[in-house]
Amino acid sequence: MKTKKTIGIIGGGQLGLMIAEEAHRLGARCVTLDPAADAPSAAVADEHIVAAYDDSEAIERLCRCSDVVTYEFENVPGEILIPMCEKYNIPQGYKPLYDSQDRLREKQNALDNGLKTPGFEAVDDEESLCRAVRKMGLPAVLKTRTLGYDGHGQMVLKSEEDIAKALPLLTVPCILEEFVKFDFEASIVMVADDKRVVSFPSGRNVHRDGILDLCFIPAEVNPEILERMRLQSEEFMRRAGYRGILAIEYFVRGEEILFNEMAPRPHNSGHYTIEGTTTNQFRELARYLLGEELEEPKLVAPTVMKNILGQDLEAAEKILREGHDKVYVHLYGKSESRPKRKMGHITFTHLTPEEYQEKWAARFV
């Protein structure tokens, strides 16, 4: 009898949950690690280790009991993970995680490997902020270099008066970025092994209060732009030496495609792939980790993905009870619902953006 392989996942949130579900469908076991005993992945993992991300002994325990290890959480301390990559089978390695953890390093890495970015300058204090503003002009966006996400740790500077208001952010190293008046934001999710890179169809992303709200797939844009985005993203992944999964968010401005940020894990904007494409981002990551041949995804039909935050949870639960055809409600099983906390998502297949606005948009806050 063939022994099941075990995938270890550092992180036990909804991404770990969905990786584990797809790994099980491929016949693998999963062990997850998360500080919360009731983390979403604990409900489906074969084993769940409760420990902090900086607990080196616990992470080593995860690695020892796994054939292959990945991460679904971006802020795993490097001083712990780097030596683990030398001792255990962590095929994505530390580099994509390291490159994505500092916005200044991330932007420079994108430039060095062939992508175009908005203008940016390192900022460490009031003097360097004023110098960067003089060079770049206003408006501009001041961001902390590490840890910010979903709109946290950043501020738009519209006038000279805003500089004083921004000084509290400068308790940590920051980056000042050009304010991009983009037409829309798009993202792409890729999975690469030594032989090939497979890419999922790009969607148009709509944010609300700095958090992803909706994805419309395919993005309603000139196909030539989407093809150029795919080709340059795949080339970037190869030039940077990345393997496994990578998501990149772009600003599209006219014919320009500007790198915004990346994530070396499954991405919120790729959740639509579970029903919207012939294979999904979690399954292809699991295939990569298990050493199986990757499958090229194809779009099933026009698809809309709606992020469910705490304020949307009641509406999502009602839609789930109603049982609509081609409407797929995913709730992550988080124990506490809070406004702006990601509680689930809904995928609507065979639906255009216009039909979503007409039939569904009013159901949500």
Side-chain angles (χ1 to χ4, degrees), residues 1-210:
M1 182 178 177
K2 185 179 178 181
T3 303
K4 287 185 176 182
K5 287 187 176 181
T6 298
I7 298 174
I9 306 170
I10 303 173
Q14 62 266 22
L15 302 180
L17 165 72
M18 290 182 275
I19 294 169
E21 289 174 337
E22 290 299 332
H24 285 159
R25 293 186 180 102
L26 294 174
R29 298 178 68 256
C30 277
V31 180
T32 56
L33 180 147
D34 194 273
D38 61 351
S41 69
V44 298
D46 299 277
E47 182 181 350
H48 181 64
I49 298 170
V50 180
Y53 297 121
D54 60 358
D55 186 335
S56 59
E57 291 184 5
I59 290 182
E60 186 136 19
R61 175 186 161 197
L62 173 81
C63 292
R64 284 200 304 268
C65 69
S66 304
D67 296 292
V68 61
V69 175
T70 189
Y71 34 76
E72 63 100 73
F73 179 72
E74 285 154 284
N75 296 317
V76 181
E79 62 271 18
I80 291 177
L81 195 58
I82 290 174
M84 297 294 177
C85 289
E86 297 172 357
K87 295 171 62 176
Y88 300 102
N89 184 18
I90 308 177
Q92 285 185 265
Y94 178 69
K95 190 172 185 298
L97 193 68
Y98 175 79
D99 290 343
S100 69
Q101 286 177 328
D102 181 311
R103 286 189 172 96
L104 181 62
R105 186 165 59 235
E106 181 183 52
K107 288 286 194 302
Q108 190 60 54
N109 178 64
L111 277 178
D112 292 344
N113 288 289
L115 299 181
K116 187 174 182 180
T117 74
F120 62 91
E121 294 288 333
V123 171
D124 298 307
D125 52 28
E126 184 175 2
E127 181 182 353
S128 57
L129 174 58
C130 292
R131 187 167 57 247
V133 167
R134 287 194 298 271
K135 181 177 179 179
M136 191 177 301
L138 295 176
V141 186
L142 182 67
K143 300 178 180 180
T144 57
R145 283 172 52 176
T146 62
L147 299 179
Y149 67 97
D150 286 345
H152 299 289
Q154 60 184 265
M155 178 180 175
V156 177
L157 308 184
K158 298 179 181 178
S159 67
E160 297 283 346
E161 289 72 29
D162 288 334
I163 292 176
K165 299 175 186 176
L167 295 182
L169 278 181
L170 297 178
T171 55
V172 296
C174 290
I175 181 173
L176 188 71
E177 297 182 7
E178 173 192 352
F179 184 87
V180 179
K181 295 181 179 178
F182 55 89
D183 299 327
F184 67 93
E185 184 190 276
S187 56
I188 185 168
V189 178
M190 301 165 288
V191 180
D193 60 16
D194 291 335
K195 299 177 182 177
R196 63 192 300 210
V197 183
V198 299
S199 299
F200 290 87
S202 294
R204 175 170 65 89
N205 301 335
V206 177
H207 288 75
R208 184 169 62 174
D209 299 328

